[in-house]
Amino acid sequence: MANKRQLKKQIRYICGDVAAECAMAKHLIDGVDKDTLTGALRHVAALQEMSLARVSTTFDKTPADFSSKKEYNAAKHAFYTKAFTSLREEFNKRLQEIVHEMNCALPAKKA
């Protein structure tokens, strides 16, 4: 992502799309487990809230804490790389769990 604003937009779009799929399935598919989909909607909302809060993280050190500007920039880069890698992995893991939960709510196929 180029910046935090774009990352936050992408998180909102993804969570909004998943929530819309839950809501549509809840109202349009006969025999679907509505309680499970309601739970999935809650999980999507919690995922969005948690992810947006984690995007707003800041590097808590100043250039004065380092012997050179180069060391400061390297430490700052390493901090953000680790933070956003962790965010991406956790977001994808939780999103897969939610999609699995949604799929479990669908009625079994009739042969």
Side-chain angles (χ1 to χ4, degrees):
M1 282 289 125
N3 60 36
K4 290 180 185 181
R5 181 174 36 111
Q6 288 180 340
L7 180 57
K8 287 181 178 183
K9 281 183 181 181
Q10 289 299 314
I11 290 170
R12 286 186 190 106
Y13 289 146
I14 292 168
C15 290
D17 287 346
V18 172
E21 289 292 329
C22 282
M24 286 188 341
K26 185 176 173 181
H27 295 291
L28 298 177
I29 298 176
D30 293 330
V32 73
D33 185 357
K34 294 180 189 253
D35 292 334
T36 302
L37 287 177
T38 300
L41 279 168
R42 287 189 184 113
H43 293 145
V44 169
L47 174 64
Q48 179 175 323
E49 184 179 348
M50 179 272 306
S51 299
L52 292 176
R54 286 182 63 188
V55 167
S56 298
T57 187
T58 58
F59 188 56
D60 61 347
K61 306 219 183 294
T62 64
D65 296 333
F66 297 89
S67 60
S68 71
K69 182 76 170 171
K70 184 177 180 179
E71 287 179 18
Y72 169 75
N73 288 336
K76 183 177 171 183
H77 177 73
F79 172 81
Y80 281 117
T81 300
K82 182 179 176 185
F84 289 120
T85 299
S86 171
L87 171 66
R88 184 182 63 240
E89 289 171 356
E90 180 66 23
F91 183 82
N92 288 335
K93 178 182 168 215
R94 289 289 302 132
L95 193 59
Q96 288 175 353
E97 291 170 1
I98 291 167
V99 170
H100 179 71
E101 185 178 357
M102 290 168 55
N103 289 335
C104 289
L106 295 174
K109 264 189 172 178
K110 296 179 184 175

